[in-house]
Amino acid sequence: MMRIRLTLAYEGTDFCGWQLQPSDRTVQGELERALSVILGGPVRVHGSGRTDSGVHALGQVAHFDCPDGREGFPWRRSLNALLPPDVRVVDAGMAADDFHARFGARSKTYEYRLWHEREFCLPQRRRFVWACGPVDFERMEAAARVLTGEHDFAAFQNVGTDVGSTVRTVTSIERLAADSPLESAWRFSADGFLKQMVRNLMGCMVACGRGKLSVEEVRTILASGDRTTAPATVPPQGLTLISVVYGS
Amino acid sequence: MMRIRLTLAYEGTDFCGWQLQPSDRTVQGELERALSVILGGPVRVHGSGRTDSGVHALGQVAHFDCPDGREGFPWRRSLNALLPPDVRVVDAGMAADDFHARFGARSKTYEYRLWHEREFCLPQRRRFVWACGPVDFERMEAAARVLTGEHDFAAFQNVGTDVGSTVRTVTSIERLAADSPLESAWRFSADGFLKQMVRNLMGCMVACGRGKLSVEEVRTILASGDRTTAPATVPPQGLTLISVVYGS
């Protein structure tokens, strides 16, 4: 057998998330279907992690195994010819036998985009932002500083997956240089994220940016470990999985 | 009567262009329908010009008239509450009685976006670029210099509209700083554009950038005034109407 590593981009709008579902359209499902055409039988694809319904990716990583003898096979071109246009293979190549897209991931970076004008959202951006209205960036950045570092993020984990420890290290939360005064982009990097953790951190930061929560209250929520004390999960379409880092 | 001026953004993907059609979904049609709800009767909206099916806008300008007595009416908020999310009123306000969105336009700027990677187009960009593959920017810019200035652009006009003179002044064709190495953006400004002129100029520039046409041949096509000698019209989804300038 040989192991192939894929880097994937997708627009999450019309997917019910990454993970295979019996009857819903998912990214994993589309990939496994395209691969089964090429390989003539069922194929299991392992992603770095699930993305939720409506969440996008620029650099999702996945792997699969196939029988030997396909060295030099044009995986990228062949898969892109079979996949629908809302998911694309950006890169494909041989991986080490012990490479594992999920268990080998050392850190991930997500981006969340906000739209700040209350009376309209640009049609061209509507699938990629959450129109939260005006916020105070400095207050959001103060909240981000509280949330950065090694913490127990139980207050920012939605129910549904038992992952054991809820301690994670958020290495950075940064606002990118704006390409429009009406939009802002926030990058979250961590050694791993709990279920809907980015969307819950963002909900807390926006509540702070709207003046509905003080930085001290953010600290209290984080320390409480109690999901019910934190603001609601923000919508999925603002979120994009940017990259996954591997290696020792 | 009072005259209202609108600045509009739309994603052209699901519109059959700007102009009202008896049975197809158009931007003008959606606007007139929303306005008729507000004003309680038929309203005629005048745009700065038509955009084709699939073409987008960030700064289309239009006007309409309504009975006096609506000073201070929240046109932007009210229209956006009635319009579908793929068209938005970005700005709305009173205009002079003699303002005319079409006849008063002094110049227009369009942008055309290309995607240069042959094996995949980013899903998030697929509605807004033409995936033309690799091109030589310097050759395209050399073609752009030939096409800039006051010329008879008959060779770059598609049939369908009798506009009288086909002489126009293209004041600039510029490549913008790239936000991605895989994408390029080209801005065209002129005192006016003939039917599908930007998409025909772009077709000529891309043919040049692919090495299929020399700069000298571009000069010959322009001088010929013969549409059949010029490369084909490029697809609509790469094109966006950026702005319209008024004033004396």
Side-chain angles (χ1 to χ4, degrees), chain B residues 53-56 112 126-131 235-240:
Chain B
S53 188
V55 172
H56 317 291
Y112 198 94
R126 73 192 195 280
R127 296 184 187 86
F128 306 106
V129 297
W130 172 40
Q237 80 277 2
L239 188 62
T240 297

Side-chain angles (χ1 to χ4, degrees), chain B residues 139-201:
Chain B
R139 286 181 61 94
M140 287 183 66
E141 283 160 345
R145 282 190 291 275
V146 168
L147 298 167
T148 303
E150 182 181 288
H151 301 288
D152 183 336
F153 285 98
F156 298 92
Q157 175 192 32
N158 286 17
V159 294
T161 318
D162 181 11
V163 290
S165 168
T166 49
V167 174
R168 294 290 183 280
T169 300
V170 172
T171 47
S172 66
I173 305 176
E174 286 182 317
R175 181 162 62 93
L176 300 191
D179 28 30
S180 155
L182 300 179
E183 189 170 329
S184 67
W186 302 78
R187 291 233 170 169
F188 297 75
S189 293
D191 58 354
F193 290 94
L194 303 167
K195 187 173 164 65
Q196 298 184 336
M197 178 168 148
V198 181
R199 289 162 62 192
N200 291 332
L201 293 173

Side-chain angles (χ1 to χ4, degrees), chain A residues 9-11 56-58 76-77 80 85-90 117 119-124 126-128, chain B residues 9-11 56-58 76-77 80 85-90 117 119-124 126-128:
Chain A
Y10 44 89
E11 184 192 319
H56 317 290
L58 289 177
R76 185 170 82 166
R77 195 169 69 233
N80 284 340
D86 50 354
V87 51
R88 293 286 95 180
V89 176
V90 174
E117 167 58 53
E119 287 199 7
F120 73 94
C121 179
L122 208 59
Q124 289 85 337
R126 74 193 195 279
R127 296 184 188 87
F128 307 106
Chain B
Y10 44 90
E11 184 194 320
H56 317 291
L58 289 177
R76 185 170 81 165
R77 195 167 71 232
N80 284 340
D86 52 352
V87 52
R88 293 287 95 179
V89 176
V90 174
E117 167 57 53
E119 287 199 6
F120 73 94
C121 180
L122 207 60
Q124 289 84 336
R126 73 192 195 280
R127 296 184 187 86
F128 306 106

Side-chain angles (χ1 to χ4, degrees), chain B residues 87-146:
Chain B
V87 52
R88 293 287 95 179
V89 176
V90 174
D91 197 24
M94 292 259 297
D97 287 348
D98 63 350
F99 173 79
H100 196 287
R102 180 167 163 218
F103 300 126
R106 291 286 163 267
S107 79
K108 287 186 186 175
T109 297
Y110 280 92
E111 184 175 293
Y112 198 94
R113 286 188 170 256
L114 300 173
W115 182 263
H116 301 294
E117 167 57 53
R118 210 188 297 274
E119 287 199 6
F120 73 94
C121 180
L122 207 60
Q124 289 84 336
R125 300 299 302 146
R126 73 192 195 280
R127 296 184 187 86
F128 306 106
V129 297
W130 172 40
C132 70
V135 292
D136 180 327
F137 288 159
E138 287 184 20
R139 286 181 61 94
M140 287 183 66
E141 283 160 345
R145 282 190 291 275
V146 168

Side-chain angles (χ1 to χ4, degrees), chain A residues 13-43:
Chain A
T13 313
D14 297 327
F15 285 110
C16 292
W18 165 268
Q19 195 181 27
L20 194 65
Q21 307 276 349
S23 60
D24 289 323
R25 186 173 183 267
T26 70
V27 181
Q28 187 188 355
E30 292 292 336
L31 275 168
E32 293 189 354
R33 195 167 60 167
L35 280 168
S36 73
V37 172
I38 293 173
L39 294 170
V43 185

Side-chain angles (χ1 to χ4, degrees), chain B residues 68-90:
Chain B
D68 289 328
R70 291 195 180 254
E71 290 77 11
F73 186 81
W75 290 108
R76 185 170 81 165
R77 195 167 71 232
S78 305
L79 280 168
N80 284 340
L82 291 165
L83 287 166
D86 52 352
V87 52
R88 293 287 95 179
V89 176
V90 174

